[in-house]
Amino acid sequence: MPAQAVSKKAAVLLMFLASLFPIGAQPVSLAPKSMPPIGAVDARFQSYNIEMVEVTGGRFWKPYDHPRGAANPAPAPDRQAAATPAGIDPNLFEYRPPIDLSNARLRRLASALGPAYVRVSGTWANTVYFDDSDGPAPANPPAGFNAILTRKQWKGVLDFAHAADASLITSFAFSAGTRDAAGVWTPDQARRVLAYTRAAGGAIAAVEFVNEPTFAAVGGAPKGYDAAAFARDIAVFRRFLKQSAPGVLFLGPGSVGEGGVIAKTAALRLNTEDLLAATGPVFDAFSYHIYPAVSQRCAGGMPSVGTTADAALSPEWLARPAAISAFYAALRDRFEPGKPLWVTETADAGCGGNPWASTFLDTFRYLNQLGRLAQQGVQVMAHNTLASSDYGLLDEHTYRPRPNYWAAVLWRRLMGRTVLQPAPQPPANLYMYAHCQADRPGGVTVLAINAGTTSRDLEVPLRAERYTLSAAQPDTSAVQLNGHTLEAGSDGGLPPLTGIPIRAGRLSLPPASITFLAFPEAGNPACR
């Protein structure tokens, strides 16, 4: 047979074999026993926010299923209803009565996320007046404040934190009502909150002076507030805090809106670099917020700062949180070297989240962000919110868990504090992270996120337990674990969240799915 004919047949055979085993489809090999440690996170790494406006009652982001003009009516007289952030369309908000933090279902669902930090803060905390009295609250807040926080409401926060195994983070008012005749911040309100917290048997683990100073004008700052004024306030506050509550961590600066697309809305924003240059190294931990986009509520005529559901699984979208975090980490390195990184507020999008924040589509961002930022050295990540608006882990009316809640519970149970380096760079649309397994010495858990439209194979070297999250359609609020729809009981009890035993060998990851692989017998020396 001519050599040319042989070469043609060989070429055809090679093409046929390539069609069966395409390049790039080779399985990713896992080696859980030898994955090296690359860092560690706080024991309360995965945490959450309850907005101060939820505690006091007031106007928060209106859910998308409540059309414009169909907001819940506020009671009369409504001392809270007019309190909305400056410069934002009030029609984007809806009145909520104070949240019942004694609700047994809510507490039980929250306790499944513990240990955690619960941060009670937000823009509305910047202008809240603490009514340090057991009598009836005033009909209206004093001049210079926009809302009233009662002792009873704050006691509810303290009791909730205790019941949910959550350490408390908060911030304080800094609006005109807290300032003396010269415009200097005074600690009277903060002192009252700290004193009552101690008297009520509660504790505050960490504080930020103010929520989001980079948007100080929106948050109730005095007119003309600048970096010099911030530094002056910080000096007064830090001195007060170290004297009055020396065991409380001082977090800051608590910035938002830089290092990403939201920076395009910079008209009202101060600059974090200027704030840090003015204050000097004063914080115990470096805190900041991450919102990869502005939600459809606020993007309006600024589509460049938003995103779409079609992009929810794209590499560009999934990479945004890490890019924002890297921006702030660089500022930490310059101004607060060596200080821990804390993300004290984050979600898919600012202004209450996008409509698909409550669906499985956002779980890819949620878990990818946890995994990636743990690798980048972030110690704490507090999701906004536990149970309010579209980005809540729970539905605010029924407390029905959303997909991100189930992902959070699995992370809490399976991913320990030690961060490991997983497999070499995986193929496109496959994201992999690894931690020592929680509560199993030597055990390892690998998180594999397949955001692609085709299945991906892993080569598993030893027996494991598989936990695969999937949905019939990614943009739905129903999620399955190993093919079974997850639902909480009426009392907040969770169904069994058990893995499927698998043998060593090849494992296929379905498209648009998320899999935790627990290797209890990995014997990784870093995990003992």
Side-chain angles (χ1 to χ4, degrees):
M1 183 179 294
Q4 186 177 6
V6 172
S7 63
K8 286 184 178 180
K9 285 188 176 182
V12 171
L13 178 59
L14 288 173
M15 292 177 62
F16 173 71
L17 291 174
S19 69
L20 293 178
F21 305 102
I23 296 174
Q26 296 92 338
V28 176
S29 296
L30 300 181
K33 182 175 182 178
S34 58
M35 291 177 179
I38 56 174
V41 296
D42 192 285
R44 300 173 187 269
F45 171 66
Q46 181 184 245
S47 296
Y48 53 86
N49 278 256
I50 295 174
E51 289 275 343
M52 183 65 79
V53 70
E54 297 179 69
V55 177
T56 63
R59 292 168 60 81
F60 193 55
W61 303 109
K62 184 188 302 183
Y64 291 99
D65 58 5
H66 290 199
R68 194 179 185 89
N72 292 333
D78 174 25
R79 62 177 182 267
Q80 318 284 10
T84 55
I88 301 180
D89 182 359
N91 290 308
L92 299 175
F93 302 96
E94 174 179 290
Y95 177 80
R96 271 95 158 168
I99 187 172
D100 178 12
L101 293 175
S102 68
N103 182 282
R105 176 176 166 88
L106 176 63
R107 287 188 174 190
R108 188 168 182 184
L109 289 165
S111 67
L113 301 175
Y117 289 104
V118 54
R119 178 176 177 267
V120 180
S121 179
T123 301
W124 288 258
N126 292 349
T127 57
V128 70
Y129 173 78
F130 179 58
D131 182 39
D132 193 17
S133 166
D134 289 325
N140 295 289
F145 298 94
N146 288 340
I148 295 173
L149 172 68
T150 67
R151 277 186 173 183
K152 181 179 179 181
Q153 289 167 342
W154 191 243
K155 181 63 162 59
V157 169
L158 302 177
D159 291 345
F160 172 87
H162 177 75
D165 190 11
S167 293
L168 180 60
I169 302 172
T170 193
S171 64
F172 299 102
F174 89 131
S175 55
T178 66
R179 299 179 181 277
D180 63 17
V184 178
W185 182 85
T186 61
D188 178 67
Q189 278 283 293
R191 180 180 291 112
R192 290 173 182 271
V193 172
L194 290 174
Y196 177 73
T197 298
R198 286 191 293 266
I204 296 174
V207 298
E208 291 167 307
F209 168 61
V210 64
N211 180 75
E212 299 180 349
T214 44
F215 279 83
V218 173
K223 186 176 181 180
Y225 196 76
D226 58 14
F230 179 74
R232 180 194 62 199
D233 287 349
I234 287 292
V236 175
F237 178 76
R238 184 173 185 268
R239 188 163 53 247
F240 155 75
L241 184 67
K242 296 306 177 185
Q243 292 172 351
S244 302
V248 175
L249 291 175
F250 184 21
L251 313 179
S255 299
V256 73
E258 298 157 292
V261 298
I262 299 180
K264 297 175 183 178
T265 66
L268 299 174
R269 198 189 69 219
L270 295 175
N271 185 288
T272 298
E273 183 174 5
D274 292 343
L275 297 179
L276 295 172
T279 63
V282 296
F283 302 111
D284 297 320
F286 188 98
S287 67
Y288 54 102
H289 298 174
I290 294 178
Y291 289 101
V294 170
S295 76
Q296 290 180 358
R297 286 182 192 85
C298 297
M302 302 180 294
S304 62
V305 301
T307 187
T308 66
D310 291 341
L313 302 184
S314 70
E316 187 275 333
W317 171 251
L318 294 177
R320 284 191 193 183
I324 295 170
S325 188
F327 171 86
Y328 284 113
L331 289 175
R332 184 276 311 267
D333 292 344
R334 287 177 57 195
F335 294 100
E336 296 276 4
K339 299 297 176 64
L341 296 170
W342 287 38
V343 177
T344 49
E345 195 174 304
T346 186
D348 76 306
C351 301
N354 280 307
W356 59 93
S358 60
T359 75
F360 186 53
L361 263 183
D362 189 51
T363 305
F364 293 82
R365 176 209 58 83
Y366 181 82
L367 285 175
N368 190 67
Q369 183 171 330
L370 288 175
R372 186 71 185 96
L373 268 60
Q375 290 183 340
Q376 289 183 336
V378 172
Q379 295 296 296
V380 174
M381 190 124 52
H383 177 78
N384 205 26
T385 60
L386 176 62
S388 190
S389 203
D390 296 275
Y391 48 25
L393 298 175
L394 307 171
D395 178 271
E396 66 184 75
H397 301 294
T398 65
Y399 299 139
R400 180 176 183 264
R402 290 168 168 167
N404 281 353
Y405 174 84
W406 298 112
V409 172
L410 288 174
W411 179 284
R412 167 63 59 216
R413 294 188 180 186
L414 298 172
M415 304 288 274
R417 294 187 60 188
T418 301
V419 184
L420 304 174
Q421 180 65 54
Q425 186 67 34
N429 298 315
L430 179 62
Y431 305 87
M432 300 187 68
Y433 306 99
H435 285 220
C436 290
Q437 193 172 351
D439 303 322
R440 291 207 184 174
V444 169
T445 299
V446 173
L447 169 61
I449 302 171
N450 185 3
T453 57
T454 59
S455 61
R456 294 289 186 181
D457 289 346
L458 301 180
E459 194 65 44
V460 179
L462 64 161
R463 78 173 190 89
E465 297 161 3
R466 176 174 63 83
Y467 303 77
T468 296
L469 291 171
S470 61
Q473 295 293 332
D475 59 349
T476 62
S477 60
V479 65
Q480 288 82 44
L481 174 63
N482 296 330
H484 299 284
T485 299
L486 294 172
E487 289 285 353
S490 59
D491 62 351
L494 304 187
L497 301 176
T498 54
I500 294 177
I502 61 169
R503 297 177 179 178
R506 187 167 295 192
L507 173 68
S508 181
L509 304 175
S513 70
I514 298 169
T515 297
F516 292 88
L517 279 176
F519 296 93
E521 300 172 356
N524 190 306
C527 303
R528 290 173 181 167

